[in-house]
Amino acid sequence: MTTPDPSKPLTGAAAVLERCDELASHSSLSDGLIQRVYLSPEHAAVNALAAGWMRDAGMATWQDAAGNQCGRLEGATPGLPALLLGSHLDTVPSAGRYDGILGVLTAIAVVERINADGRSLPFALEVVAFGDEEGTRFGTALLGSRALAGTWLDAWWELTDEVGITLHDAFVAFGLDPAAVTAAARTSNDFVGYLETHIEQGPVLEENDLPLGIVSSIAGARRFQITITGKAGHSGTPWTHRRDALAGASEAIVAIERLARDADLIATVGHLEVFPDAVNVIAGRAEFSLDLRGRFDADRDAAWQRIEALLEEICSTRGLHVAVHQTHAAPAAHCSDRLRGVIAAGIRAADGSDDGSTPLELLSMAGHDAMAVAHLTEIGMLFVRCAGGVSHHPDESVTEPDVARALDAFEAAVLALADGHTLQDPA
Ligand SMILES: [Zn+2]
């Protein structure tokens, strides 16, 4: 434990929001827009800033072999397993300033408070600022957290960014050794659990007039590339001889939306390309993406089977051919009863409403680093209200009172876990 300087004020909500603004200034876009991708100069700059704040909070710091910025405050005795706190510092293009960032800065501020109070916990505290959650640069999400979880895939080295730089070469340019990436992998024995604070990215807390909520589980997504092939031809071709791939894709996209609504799932077609893409030529080929997510993997997978049958039916009626290729699959990640319990205790303590009631639990339809960390240890997440549920957009917004409440709740959650840990599992 580092001795805190009593003359220095602790990092409160206003200072956390100032740090969010400072991180937002490290962007590869101009005009105040934010984009910060994995292994970029901006990534290096925000790691250096985070490392400084971690050291101010009393932590020893290091950047791991995958470019994640890490810090550690020892517990009652050196070398204890750690409670891992964190989120990510990378962004989507034209991002907001809180998605991921708020979670890292909340974690650092809470460690600073616990260090300043001179508490010795029955576990160490570690903070991790993951370098890649969004997958903006290489198209595959959770690279940072999967390196830590030890689920890195060698096939990723050949992934390229939009200018053709491979992940392998980006590692080297960042000063990392690709051959050493396994050194970033931690083990289950290293951790007692993982807690993450994140903006909700949905309107449920706002609609319920609540600043904070508990995540029950994180929906797992499956993503597909779907290619429908017909026959390109002159736009004057009569109806009897047309095999229009775009008309087939359009019918399929609307049918997928209807099926997913009826099944209480979320389906998004966010990308569509048409070939040859000319005003007077029938589309010979249409390619589109599908992102499918739901509360339970079994429901989602059953819906996908129905979608596949639907695609076959639509295409055979229209004389088209369909091919599907899965590009991503993640199981739903469930937050543990124990960590949901400590987050509930934290929210109640911050509310001053210690009546034993359970604060609102929400399903996260968005993916988070916690999904990757769940491979190693139990996970828990605290959601913070964001204005209008808007995220991945410059309008992303949180309030200072909500952030203050989140800091109090997150600290109280860590201390609640420490109390329970001492009772159940003396270190
Ligand atoms: Zn995020």
Side-chain angles (χ1 to χ4, degrees), residues 355-409:
D355 57 2
S357 63
T358 302
L360 188 66
E361 291 211 341
L362 306 94
L363 170 72
S364 174
M365 277 292 179
H368 296 290
D369 292 302
M371 302 171 87
V373 181
H375 184 77
L376 284 184
T377 189
E378 60 187 287
I379 59 168
M381 287 190 74
L382 172 70
F383 262 176
V384 183
R385 170 168 56 189
C386 63
V390 173
S391 77
H392 286 188
H393 189 279
D395 288 348
E396 208 171 81
S397 177
V398 293
T399 68
E400 188 180 323
D402 284 2
V403 173
R405 190 74 72 90
L407 286 170
D408 290 347

Side-chain angles (χ1 to χ4, degrees), residues 45-381:
V46 296
N47 271 8
L49 273 172
W53 293 329
M54 287 174 177
R55 286 190 289 273
D56 289 348
M59 286 180 267
T61 62
W62 68 99
Q63 180 179 273
D64 77 11
N68 299 310
Q69 180 60 49
C70 308
R72 178 176 167 101
L73 179 72
E74 295 294 346
T77 57
L80 291 171
L83 174 64
L84 183 64
L85 313 173
S87 195
H88 60 96
L89 292 181
D90 68 315
T91 77
V92 295
S94 297
R97 49 188 64 196
Y98 306 108
D99 176 349
I101 289 98
L102 184 66
V104 172
L105 298 180
T106 299
I108 294 172
V110 163
V111 172
E112 182 187 29
R113 287 187 184 192
I114 290 169
N115 185 40
D117 285 349
R119 288 175 183 269
S120 75
L121 303 187
F123 42 73
L125 292 175
E126 288 194 21
V127 175
V128 59
F130 289 115
D132 178 85
E133 190 271 349
E134 305 284 7
T136 302
R137 182 169 180 188
F138 293 102
T140 293
L142 303 171
L143 292 175
S145 38
R146 289 197 56 180
L148 179 134
T151 56
W152 186 273
L153 299 179
D154 280 338
W156 292 341
W157 292 121
E158 297 309 316
L159 292 171
T160 53
D161 67 9
E162 63 181 14
V163 295
I165 298 170
T166 63
L167 179 56
H168 179 280
D169 290 352
F171 253 63
V172 174
F174 196 76
L176 297 171
D177 177 6
V181 71
T182 50
R186 308 290 296 273
T187 70
S188 297
N189 294 334
D190 290 339
F191 299 121
V192 300
Y194 172 75
L195 294 178
E196 177 169 354
T197 302
H198 204 283
I199 59 168
E200 183 201 344
Q201 302 182 281
V204 178
L205 289 172
E206 192 174 71
E207 284 170 6
N208 284 275
D209 199 21
L210 292 168
L212 304 175
I214 307 165
V215 177
S216 56
S217 68
I218 308 168
R222 286 178 74 179
R223 295 193 188 127
F224 303 90
Q225 180 69 31
I226 298 167
T227 303
I228 292 182
T229 311
K231 187 162 176 49
H234 194 282
S235 57
T237 305
W239 291 115
T240 47
H241 288 72
R242 295 168 80 100
R243 290 162 55 209
D244 185 331
L246 178 56
S250 306
E251 186 179 348
I253 291 165
V254 175
I256 288 168
E257 184 188 49
R258 194 176 306 122
L259 188 151
R261 271 178 195 271
D262 291 348
D264 198 18
L265 297 161
I266 299 289
T268 304
V269 175
H271 175 80
L272 170 69
E273 268 188 287
V274 178
F275 303 90
D277 194 18
V279 288
N280 57 350
V281 183
I282 297 165
R285 190 166 91 246
E287 296 179 0
F288 60 97
S289 62
L290 171 63
D291 176 302
L292 189 64
R293 47 188 78 199
R295 187 181 302 259
F296 299 108
D297 295 342
D299 294 351
R300 180 199 61 186
D301 295 346
W304 168 244
Q305 286 188 345
R306 294 204 299 281
I307 289 171
E308 270 193 300
L310 199 66
L311 288 168
E312 288 290 352
E313 191 184 312
I314 290 168
C315 289
S316 78
T317 306
R318 291 174 166 271
L320 305 169
H321 175 260
V322 60
V324 298
H325 170 61
Q326 178 168 288
T327 55
H328 170 81
H334 298 282
C335 296
S336 75
D337 289 349
R338 181 167 76 131
L339 295 185
R340 280 154 62 187
V342 300
I343 289 178
I347 293 175
R348 286 197 302 267
D351 282 350
S353 64
D354 225 347
D355 57 2
S357 63
T358 302
L360 188 66
E361 291 211 341
L362 306 94
L363 170 72
S364 174
M365 277 292 179
H368 296 290
D369 292 302
M371 302 171 87
V373 181
H375 184 77
L376 284 184
T377 189
E378 60 187 287
I379 59 168
M381 287 190 74

